[in-house]
Amino acid sequence: MKIAIGNDHAGTAYKKALVNYLKHQNITTNNHGTDSEDSVDYPDFVHPVAKEVEDKKVDFGIIICGSGNGAAMTANKHQDVRAALCWNAEIAELARKHNNANVLSIPARYVSEDEALEMLKVFLSTEFEAGRHERRVEKIACK
């Protein structure tokens, strides 16, 4: 499995913790985020993640900013990207099961690192249910 990850200054510590976890799971990561806590513009770090998901160069994306909103809005501009802003493991599970989300957006200022890690674990281990949800997901993109 291969995952692209991007973050702004609010998500630097979270990214480091998540990448460390993924490394121990033998999951390859492409780091598109800042490694600094100096203020940066989140779109500069989110667009490369979304582009890799859009181009199917990675299996999933993880994006992290203060609220998670700006990152999700940015990623969702890309075709076939379904970025889900999640604030707990249950929402992360439903985003995968019902929406076939392929990008996890984490609000670093509103969840703990432990909560972010739990969301990631659930996100990666949950399969899309398809069925009645598939036709809904097919209606999301503007093509």
Side-chain angles (χ1 to χ4, degrees), residues 5 18 31 34 54 58 66 86 106 108 114 117 141:
I5 189 165
L18 297 179
N31 178 10
T34 183
E54 180 179 35
V58 295
C86 299
I106 299 173
D114 288 341
L117 182 57

Side-chain angles (χ1 to χ4, degrees), residues 32-43:
H32 296 288
T34 183
D35 291 320
S36 171
E37 293 183 9
D38 295 337
S39 183
V40 295
D41 298 333
Y42 59 81

Side-chain angles (χ1 to χ4, degrees), residues 96-98 127-133:
R96 286 287 304 131
K97 276 186 178 180
H98 294 181
E127 295 290 327
F128 177 48
E129 285 183 347
R132 72 183 194 275
H133 304 292

Side-chain angles (χ1 to χ4, degrees), residues 18 21 25 104 114-126:
L18 297 179
Y21 167 78
Q25 302 303 308
L104 173 63
D114 288 341
E115 289 169 322
L117 182 57
E118 187 60 29
M119 287 189 291
L120 175 62
K121 290 176 184 177
V122 168
F123 190 85
L124 295 180
S125 66
T126 302

